[in-house]
Amino acid sequence: PTPKGIITAGRIRELIRELDLSIKDSYFIINRIQGEFEPVIETEMEKQGFNSFYGIPMDRLIYDYDLSQKPLMDLPDESIAVVAVNKILDEIIN
């Protein structure tokens, strides 16, 4: 969740339009969320036209798994990131 990341997501959306790609649905997802956003993040989201988003909180287990070169697919179901992703998928799919 950085201004550069928000700007990049906005540019990707712009490129999709410019290239006239046929994409039925798209979703704005911010990962590694820690608490409240800084005002600069909220300002950039508004500037880029992102009125809603899905969020995945910071999960230390992802870092630990990466350090030990364990596949993220092996994260436990109780992992806060896994719980968040499953919730997003349930909402999008249903």
Side-chain angles (χ1 to χ4, degrees):
T2 64
K4 189 183 295 185
I6 308 299
I7 291 167
T8 300
R11 180 64 182 134
I12 291 169
R13 184 177 58 194
E14 189 178 307
L15 283 170
I16 289 168
R17 289 182 190 143
E18 287 175 12
L19 296 171
D20 197 28
L21 298 177
S22 178
I23 297 177
K24 183 179 176 186
D25 298 310
S26 64
Y27 302 93
F28 181 47
I29 299 174
I30 300 175
N31 64 347
R32 295 182 292 167
I33 295 175
Q34 299 181 64
E36 299 294 317
F37 288 136
E38 297 291 331
V40 67
I41 301 297
E42 293 179 0
T43 300
E44 194 58 50
M45 286 173 59
E46 289 174 16
K47 186 176 172 184
Q48 296 297 325
F50 293 117
N51 301 319
S52 65
F53 68 95
Y54 290 99
I56 302 172
M58 176 66 104
D59 189 339
R60 174 65 194 215
L61 275 179
I62 291 176
Y63 181 74
D64 293 343
Y65 271 53
D66 197 30
L67 283 178
S68 60
Q69 299 181 353
K70 293 180 183 176
L72 295 182
M73 295 300 293
D74 290 345
L75 283 166
D77 291 340
E78 303 80 33
S79 155
I80 58 175
V82 170
V83 169
V85 168
N86 285 335
K87 183 178 177 183
I88 292 168
L89 291 174
D90 285 346
E91 190 170 323
I92 290 172
I93 293 170
N94 294 323

